[in-house]
Amino acid sequence: MDPATATPQDLTQLAALAAALGWASGMRLYAAVFLTGLAGWLQWVTLPAGLQVLENPLVLGAAGVMLVVEFIADKVPAVDSLWDAVHTAIRIPAGAALAVAALSGSFGGDALAWGTVTALLGGTLAATAHAGKASTRAAVNTLPEPFTNLALSLVGDAAVPGLLWLSWTHPIAFFAVLIVAVALALALSFTLWRFVRRRLARLAR
């Protein structure tokens, strides 16, 4: 898809893809990069020019290795929270960069301003998803049983390809789902942050 000649419908799809990559980066950055690149490499979709670097075999290989590492780390209580803490500084700028890359070439005359806005929105979506994921898993890690942790991790594994697919095939429906997901993530982050803080305060007594 060439952003310079895109129709309004195409631009809606590009915007949905940018938002999906921003959000997915906050949950499973390497899965988002790998699946997007793989879809382009297999010619299932035509990636915008800014994202075509993800089709490079070296990028696919590196993202695939990190996807496996993240898949395993995310299933181990406490390790998942450490992984999330380390990736706070990685997922958010990556989400911003991917969102900008998805829309590169479609900003018109004021490319710098629109690129900055897109980066801020992509980073915000990544930060919101990351905060929701990290706070939920931190709270679940205080429970004595490991099954809830595993179930939540598997939900995250399924959510990323599902959201990417929805952004390509049904962009309007994707935005509706995204609004609900953002609201839930914000509510969960606030509620679970208070829960963890109270639990830690009790343990410190």
Side-chain angles (χ1 to χ4, degrees):
M1 184 186 304
D2 181 5
T5 59
T7 65
Q9 182 178 2
D10 293 334
L11 289 175
T12 301
Q13 189 178 68
L14 286 172
L17 177 62
L21 287 171
W23 181 264
S25 295
M27 296 178 59
R28 297 284 194 279
L29 170 61
Y30 305 111
V33 171
F34 179 79
L35 292 173
T36 303
L38 183 64
W41 185 70
L42 293 174
Q43 298 183 351
W44 292 345
V45 298
T46 302
L47 296 181
L51 290 175
Q52 288 176 6
V53 65
L54 303 184
E55 300 174 7
N56 186 291
L58 291 176
V59 176
L60 280 172
V65 169
M66 292 306 297
L67 184 159
V68 172
V69 173
E70 184 169 63
F71 180 86
I72 296 170
D74 202 63
K75 305 295 183 293
V76 182
V79 174
D80 64 331
S81 291
L82 177 60
W83 183 268
D84 284 339
V86 170
H87 279 76
T88 300
I90 299 173
R91 290 173 177 162
I92 297 170
L98 288 170
V100 171
L103 284 170
S104 63
S106 62
F107 296 119
D110 206 352
L112 180 59
W114 281 110
T116 302
V117 169
T118 303
L120 290 171
L121 291 175
T124 299
L125 286 172
T128 304
H130 173 73
K133 174 186 183 297
S135 58
T136 301
R137 301 301 290 279
V140 168
N141 283 337
T142 65
L143 301 175
E145 50 83 23
F147 303 109
T148 305
N149 184 293
L150 179 61
L152 286 174
S153 181
L154 292 173
V155 168
D157 293 332
V160 169
L163 286 173
L164 290 173
W165 171 82
L166 195 61
S167 72
W168 275 108
T169 57
H170 305 287
I172 301 300
F174 163 79
F175 282 118
V177 171
L178 182 64
I179 290 170
V180 173
V182 169
L184 285 175
L186 290 173
L188 276 172
S189 297
F190 179 73
T191 302
L192 293 173
W193 175 74
R194 294 182 62 186
F195 170 78
V196 171
R197 189 178 65 171
R198 288 177 183 172
R199 186 138 185 153
L200 290 175
R202 290 175 186 171
L203 292 174
R205 290 175 186 172

